[in-house]
Amino acid sequence: MKKVVYTLILMVLFVALAACNSNESATSQSEEKEPKKEVKVKKDKEANKETEETDKDYPPVPTTFSESAEYPTIGEFSGNEYEKGFTGEEDIKKKLDSLPKLTEESPKEDIEKMQRYVYSLFKEDLTKVDVPIDQWKSMQFEDPNGKEGELQLKENYNVAILLDSSGSMGKMENGKTRMDLAKDAIQQFVKDLPENANVSLRVYGHVGTGSDKDKKASCSKIEEVYPFGTYDEGEFSDALKQFEPAGWTPMAKAIDEVKLEFQQYDGKQNTNIIYVVSDGVETCSGDPVKAAKSLADSNISPVLNIIGYQVNNEGLAQLKEMANASGGNYINARSHDDLVTEFKQTADMAKVWSHWHEDSVKALNDLYDTIRTQLDSWYNEQQENSNREFNNLQTATNYLNAEEIIDNRVFLDTIDLYRDYFLTITDEARDQFLDLYDTNRDNFLNKHDEVTDRFLESDE
């Protein structure tokens, strides 16, 4: 009897152990399969994202240089030469591989959609003439006590800088935060201005954090950390140490406040240069486009320069809209060097203003050289960017054809489209450059004669 009981017990234990092993095996297999499921879900999401991108209705490929300069986005793969072995080559191929196969029998709309999408990936930052002629004009006035048409410059030169100090300015670039690099560029800029120029520095977004609970406090605080006046290196350095990137972006409120203070510096007697430096969009429910237009339409008559510092395409669109609505200038600064270059243009023009009252003939020579140098720089940059853009578009189109994503007919039509675009914009950029070069020379000669005649008369 005992034998039978022992046998039954052993059988029960055996069954129990077998069941446990079976469960463990099933669990183990389930655990092994789970990551694969996650990978599949991730791949599906990526594929859906790529499909959504290619299905978007991108703007047409521009037909003029002006349209290219006003194109609403900058390409994800711009700024680098796309060639074999390039760091981002696999990312580019992934985008191109996601396109549907197209043949000459494909609907025309589908082919155009592909051409627009590929163009949007490599769109370079081409800009309208980036020479501050408007600053030169803003310095001048007609002297009621002088001869008719006689050239005079305004007595006061004022610069206001509105700096975004929201949390996103804490992002890193080459081992430093965007804020630190912006501070360096601004410090160098104001240091290079003439001694008798006036400077003001306001910051916004420097209070609180990016959390909802801090939004009200962050959006309500604009601070003039360096009060309007001539430049003092020590005091300005201390002013730059007072804030760090922190919260939200009340850009419209900052513009409204500088407008309120600057109303006492009427544009008839003052040259007013105002910079708005931001790395993103308004986040405090204000209307920066309306604020920028109101500032431009005021008695201040400012030269308004809006700098997008490492902005994404959403920020780019809003800042460009602000510039267009106000008649101001939009400058896309991708790096610290771009910021320095932009500020230098204003510093150079300010020196012309400063030298005018000491030696107007020398000042005109400086003006001619300054504009010529800036024109050369602008044109060389457009050439470099447009060449890189076309080369990348060619490389991408060749890849699509080699991978049989597009057939030979679609390939030839696409290459022709990009080539016609390239030839048009390079011709138009060259024509603009030559026209302005001639204008600069002719104006210089006319004004030089006028000032020289006046100078000689005063000696008689």
Side-chain angles (χ1 to χ4, degrees):
M1 182 69 181
K2 285 182 180 179
K3 251 179 162 184
V4 172
V5 171
Y6 288 145
T7 303
L8 287 171
I9 291 171
L10 286 171
M11 288 177 67
V12 169
L13 287 172
F14 178 78
V15 170
L17 286 169
C20 286
N21 288 336
S22 175
N23 286 339
E24 285 176 8
S25 175
T27 302
S28 176
Q29 287 176 14
S30 175
E31 286 173 354
E32 286 176 6
K33 286 179 181 177
E34 193 59 31
K36 292 179 182 177
K37 185 179 177 183
E38 287 177 6
V39 169
K40 185 177 185 304
V41 169
K42 187 177 179 182
K43 283 183 177 178
D44 287 345
K45 283 183 179 178
E46 288 178 357
N48 289 337
K49 184 181 176 184
E50 297 294 349
T51 303
E52 285 174 10
E53 283 186 12
T54 56
D55 280 345
K56 280 183 186 176
D57 188 17
Y58 290 89
V61 176
T63 57
T64 66
F65 182 85
S66 179
E67 286 179 8
S68 182
E70 292 173 0
Y71 194 83
T73 63
I74 294 173
E76 180 180 350
F77 301 112
S78 63
N80 293 293
E81 195 79 35
Y82 170 35
E83 54 190 10
K84 196 167 184 180
F86 167 58
T87 306
E89 184 181 12
E90 291 308 312
D91 292 332
I92 293 172
K93 285 181 178 179
K94 193 181 294 183
K95 298 275 187 184
L96 298 178
D97 289 341
S98 69
L99 288 164
K101 291 186 181 295
L102 296 169
T103 69
E104 58 183 319
E105 282 83 25
S106 300
K108 184 180 177 184
E109 312 85 74
D110 292 350
I111 295 173
E112 287 182 355
K113 185 180 287 188
M114 175 275 295
Q115 292 167 339
R116 294 179 182 190
Y117 173 67
V118 173
Y119 174 78
S120 75
L121 293 176
F122 300 101
K123 174 69 180 75
E124 288 289 339
D125 182 25
L126 300 177
T127 63
K128 293 181 179 179
V129 181
D130 187 19
V131 176
I133 302 292
D134 51 354
Q135 293 190 26
W136 169 241
K137 291 177 180 175
S138 74
M139 297 178 197
Q140 304 173 37
F141 74 101
E142 292 289 333
D143 184 356
N145 301 315
K147 295 178 181 178
E148 186 177 348
E150 188 174 278
L151 182 65
Q152 297 289 340
L153 297 192
K154 296 170 187 174
E155 290 294 326
N156 302 312
Y157 191 96
N158 309 319
V159 177
I161 303 168
L162 308 182
L163 178 61
D164 180 356
S165 187
S166 59
S168 55
M169 287 291 282
K171 291 182 179 178
M172 304 298 288
E173 178 197 338
N174 297 329
K176 289 188 175 182
T177 65
R178 291 178 182 174
M179 177 56 73
D180 286 338
L181 292 169
K183 285 179 178 181
D184 288 345
I186 290 170
Q187 177 89 62
Q188 185 61 54
F189 168 49
V190 294
K191 185 177 180 181
D192 288 344
L193 288 171
E195 289 182 3
N196 46 347
N198 296 305
V199 182
S200 164
L201 175 62
R202 273 180 171 76
V203 292
Y204 55 93
H206 60 301
V207 171
T209 67
S211 68
D212 289 339
K213 68 181 179 63
D214 288 337
K215 183 174 181 179
K216 185 176 180 181
S218 185
C219 290
S220 62
K221 183 68 172 177
I222 314 295
E223 187 174 358
E224 188 177 27
V225 292
Y226 191 86
F228 183 84
T230 55
Y231 172 68
D232 180 282
E233 185 171 1
E235 291 180 9
F236 200 89
S237 294
D238 290 341
L240 290 173
K241 294 173 185 174
Q242 293 178 33
F243 58 92
E244 292 298 337
W248 297 68
T249 312
M251 188 159 34
K253 184 175 174 62
I255 294 171
D256 287 339
E257 288 201 9
V258 81
K259 175 191 167 187
L260 188 63
E261 182 185 339
F262 261 60
Q263 282 179 346
Q264 60 188 303
Y265 307 116
D266 192 285
K268 291 180 180 178
Q269 292 85 35
N270 296 270
T271 298
N272 296 315
I273 313 292
I274 297 179
Y275 274 102
V276 178
V277 183
S278 179
D279 73 338
V281 297
E282 165 83 27
T283 59
C284 292
S285 304
D287 187 344
V289 177
K290 182 180 177 182
K293 187 176 188 314
S294 178
L295 175 64
D297 292 342
S298 69
N299 68 308
I300 299 166
S301 303
V303 174
L304 184 57
N305 296 315
I306 299 168
I307 299 181
Y309 185 34
Q310 296 194 9
V311 292
N312 59 22
N313 283 325
E314 183 187 8
L316 175 76
Q318 185 177 78
L319 295 174
K320 275 192 171 184
E321 189 180 356
M322 289 167 61
N324 291 336
S326 63
N329 307 302
Y330 174 75
I331 301 98
N332 191 52
R334 291 184 162 191
S335 66
H336 171 262
D337 290 344
D338 288 344
L339 273 180
V340 171
T341 299
E342 169 55 32
F343 284 139
K344 185 178 184 303
Q345 289 193 332
T346 291
D348 288 344
M349 294 299 285
K351 286 172 184 174
V352 173
W353 166 82
S354 178
H355 294 158
W356 182 268
H357 301 288
E358 302 166 13
D359 186 341
S360 53
V361 174
K362 181 182 183 303
L364 276 174
N365 279 294
D366 291 345
L367 175 66
Y368 172 71
D369 289 338
T370 296
I371 292 177
R372 183 183 62 182
T373 299
Q374 291 172 355
L375 275 173
D376 286 340
S377 176
W378 170 79
Y379 182 58
N380 290 336
E381 184 179 358
Q382 304 319 298
Q383 282 188 307
E384 180 182 336
N385 287 349
S386 58
N387 284 332
R388 182 170 58 243
E389 183 180 78
F390 180 57
N391 288 338
N392 285 342
L393 288 170
Q394 274 190 310
T395 304
T397 309
N398 286 331
Y399 175 81
L400 290 171
N401 185 233
E403 295 298 311
E404 298 183 350
I405 297 171
I406 59 175
D407 70 5
N408 289 336
R409 182 69 265 164
V410 176
F411 165 75
L412 292 172
D413 289 345
T414 303
I415 282 290
D416 285 347
L417 173 70
Y418 294 151
R419 183 183 293 109
D420 288 346
Y421 157 76
F422 170 72
L423 293 174
T424 298
I425 62 167
T426 50
D427 284 349
E428 290 184 9
R430 184 178 63 252
D431 289 345
Q432 286 185 37
F433 168 73
L434 294 174
D435 285 347
L436 288 169
Y437 210 90
D438 289 344
T439 299
N440 181 42
R441 183 194 61 222
D442 294 342
N443 282 346
F444 165 73
L445 292 174
N446 292 336
K447 294 299 181 185
H448 186 280
D449 290 344
E450 177 186 314
V451 173
T452 303
D453 289 343
R454 196 148 38 88
F455 180 77
L456 292 173
E457 287 172 7
S458 65
D459 283 347
E460 291 175 356

